[in-house]
């Protein structure tokens, strides 16, 4: 017979082992939501992730990444089920859905496809935000009107200093052609020709000695703030948040901005598929999209949210019609078709 004191001690030990997952029962890990890091992910946490966990009682942890369909392929095909919900870019959604790397979404649970702007709808993804890449610059170092176009971005005599550009052919080739005088409506027809691609690389050759390459847009406020670059390709929300929280004087130029949609998607074979769908439903509700935009200005994909958001929160976003008058829509199909070829050429060019 085991003495009463020992029985109490053994019961406590068994409970502790069970809590630690040592009783043979597999404990479900938290739902994992993957974002873009930096102030963008901090805004998601405040507006979406933390409120979702509080309202549902579902444990959520976060991870971050810099994009790339190869990362998704490696995880899914390699049997890594550590991610559930991911924010992905346009061509990642197109390719990932074609290759079966993402779960099809339950659109009825999201209120139907018509509840969202057309560009935000894909079988495997729903738009998390509508955003742009544009020119951001330090107003303390560039007085007056500042750069008005991508041609000015290339003008290192008039605006001395380094330029920040994302280290990828996507966006870099488009802005190079706009800097060379190609109208937005003609960018992709030109890029679909060998002569057009050569033209874009020749234009990049002009600026290459003055470029600081970055891999994550979260780096841009630091590059500008440190003076390492005087202007950069950027998304607007990062600089708006830096102005608000760090009292910076960063400026934005919307002329020739390239706009696209980021999507919420669920990785194939996620063990938390039901909770992942529950999170996406929560994150795309109009009131929650508007809460996100009030923390970090961003374009909205819910039609109701677009109509209801206060004008002051549209000012620095792609939801504001005035900002989109001279904009270029990113062609995801183009990058699906030519992305691998152009990435190989671009990487070789950067290394030269």
């Amino acid at each position: 017979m085991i003495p009463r004191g020992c029985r109490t001690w053994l019961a406590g030990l068994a409970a502790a082992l069970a809590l630690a997952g040592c009783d043979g029962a597999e404990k479900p890990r938290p739902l994992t939501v993957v974002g873009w890091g930096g102030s963008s992910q901090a805004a998601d946490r405040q507006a979406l992730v933390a409120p979702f966990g509080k309202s549902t009682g579902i444990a959520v942890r976060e991870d971050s990444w810099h994009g790339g369909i190869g990362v998704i392929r490696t995880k899914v095909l390699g049997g890594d089920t550590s991610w559930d919900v991911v924010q992905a870019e346009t061509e990642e959604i197109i390719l990932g859905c074609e290759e079966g790397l993402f779960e099809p979404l339950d659109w009825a649970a999201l209120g139907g496809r018509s509840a969202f702007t057309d560009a935000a709808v894909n079988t495997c993804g729903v738009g998390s935000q509508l955003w742009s890449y544009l020119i951001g610059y330090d107003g303390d170092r560039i007085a007056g009107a500042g750069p008005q176009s991508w041609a000015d971005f290339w003008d290192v005599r008039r605006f001395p200093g380094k330029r920040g550009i994302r280290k990828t052919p996507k966006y870099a080739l488009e802005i190079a052609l706009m800097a060379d005088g190609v109208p937005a409506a003609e960018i992709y027809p030109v890029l679909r020709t060998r002569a057009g691609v050569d033209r874009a690389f020749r234009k990049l050759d002009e600026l290459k000695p003055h470029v600081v390459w970055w891999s994550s847009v979260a780096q841009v406020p630091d590059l500008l703030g440190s003076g390492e670059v005087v202007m950069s390709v950027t998304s607007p929300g990062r600089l708006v948040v830096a102005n608000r929280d760090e009292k910076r004087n960063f400026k934005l130029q919307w002329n020739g901005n390239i706009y696209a949609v980021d999507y919420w998607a669920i990785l194939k074979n996620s063990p938390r598929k039901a909770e992942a769908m529950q999170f996406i439903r929560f994150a795309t509700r109009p009131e929650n999209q508007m809460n996100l935009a009030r923390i970090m200005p961003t374009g909205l994909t819910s039609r109701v949210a677009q109509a209801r958001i206060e004008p002051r929160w549209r000012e620095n976003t792609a939801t504001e019609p005035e900002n989109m008058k001279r904009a270029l829509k990113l062609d995801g199909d183009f990058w699906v078709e030519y992305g691998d070829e152009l990435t190989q050429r671009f990487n070789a060019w950067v290394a030269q």
Side-chain angles (χ1 to χ4, degrees):
M1 179 179 293
I2 300 175
R4 180 180 299 173
C6 291
R7 289 201 301 270
T8 302
W9 180 83
L10 288 170
L13 177 61
L17 289 172
L19 187 63
C22 300
D23 60 346
E26 184 177 349
K27 302 300 178 183
R29 61 161 176 76
L31 176 72
T32 302
V33 177
V34 184
W36 299 116
S39 56
S40 172
Q41 191 154 355
D44 285 343
R45 182 181 308 121
Q46 184 178 346
L48 306 174
V49 176
F52 171 77
K54 184 176 181 180
S55 67
T56 63
I58 295 173
V60 185
R61 68 179 176 89
E62 298 176 62
D63 204 345
S64 61
W65 75 318
H66 301 323
I69 191 64
V71 176
I72 301 297
R73 285 192 189 112
T74 298
K75 281 192 170 290
V76 173
L77 300 181
D80 181 349
T81 59
S82 59
W83 287 1
D84 301 301
V85 181
V86 179
Q87 283 196 70
E89 294 186 76
T90 302
E91 71 275 15
E92 291 154 359
I93 286 293
I94 294 172
L95 280 171
C97 202
E98 288 177 353
E99 297 178 18
L101 304 177
F102 296 120
E103 297 281 356
L105 296 184
D106 180 356
W107 277 97
L110 297 175
R113 295 170 183 249
S114 62
F116 298 88
T117 189
D118 292 344
V121 175
N122 180 279
T123 299
C124 301
V126 58
S128 59
Q129 56 185 310
L130 176 64
W131 61 279
S132 292
Y133 268 162
L134 41 70
I135 300 171
Y137 63 97
D138 185 351
D140 288 337
R141 297 179 66 194
I142 299 178
Q148 300 298 301
S149 66
W150 291 112
D152 287 346
F153 190 86
W154 253 250
D155 192 344
V156 294
R157 291 185 178 179
R158 185 178 171 202
F159 301 105
K162 296 286 188 177
R163 272 57 167 164
I165 301 179
R166 182 176 172 178
K167 195 176 181 180
T168 170
K170 187 174 64 173
Y171 310 110
L173 297 183
E174 288 97 332
I175 66 175
L177 287 180
M178 283 191 279
D180 206 34
V182 179
E186 298 176 19
I187 291 296
Y188 290 107
V190 170
L191 275 180
R192 288 179 182 276
T193 69
R194 174 60 61 181
V197 172
D198 291 344
R199 178 178 177 179
F201 275 99
R202 282 197 303 272
K203 193 64 178 177
L204 285 171
D205 283 336
E206 297 176 10
L207 195 63
K208 187 178 182 182
H210 309 281
V211 172
V212 174
W213 301 105
W214 50 261
S215 59
S216 169
V217 72
Q219 298 170 249
V220 173
D222 290 337
L223 289 172
L224 286 169
S226 68
E228 188 172 353
V229 303
V230 70
M231 64 179 77
S232 180
V233 178
T234 188
S235 59
R238 309 275 181 164
L239 301 195
V240 173
V241 169
N243 287 344
R244 181 191 68 200
D245 296 347
E246 302 172 21
K247 310 305 178 188
R248 296 291 187 179
N249 187 29
F250 298 148
K251 305 290 187 180
L252 302 171
Q253 174 51 250
W254 283 86
N255 185 24
N257 77 86
I258 304 173
Y259 68 96
V261 176
D262 280 353
Y263 299 81
W264 292 116
I266 302 172
L267 264 67
K268 192 71 175 178
N269 300 323
S270 161
R272 309 297 301 272
K273 180 180 175 182
E275 294 94 337
M277 192 64 217
Q278 193 174 345
F279 171 81
I280 291 176
R281 186 164 62 247
F282 181 90
T284 54
R285 288 176 184 164
E287 64 272 22
N288 293 330
Q289 281 203 356
M290 289 188 289
N291 286 339
L292 176 63
R294 293 177 186 123
I295 296 168
M296 182 174 188
T298 188
L300 304 175
T301 62
S302 159
R303 295 187 188 275
V304 171
Q306 287 178 342
R308 291 182 180 175
I309 191 71
E310 302 90 336
R312 67 190 179 108
W313 300 117
R314 294 201 307 260
E315 181 181 354
N316 292 305
T317 77
T319 305
E320 175 55 60
E322 186 66 28
N323 292 338
M324 309 309 288
K325 286 184 176 179
R326 295 173 298 277
L328 170 67
K329 180 182 178 182
L330 182 78
D331 188 337
D333 291 327
F334 172 86
W335 286 105
V336 167
E337 185 175 356
Y338 296 101
D340 289 344
E341 173 189 345
L342 292 175
T343 297
Q344 289 179 15
R345 179 171 175 177
F346 179 83
N347 289 341
W349 173 82
V350 169
Q352 291 174 351

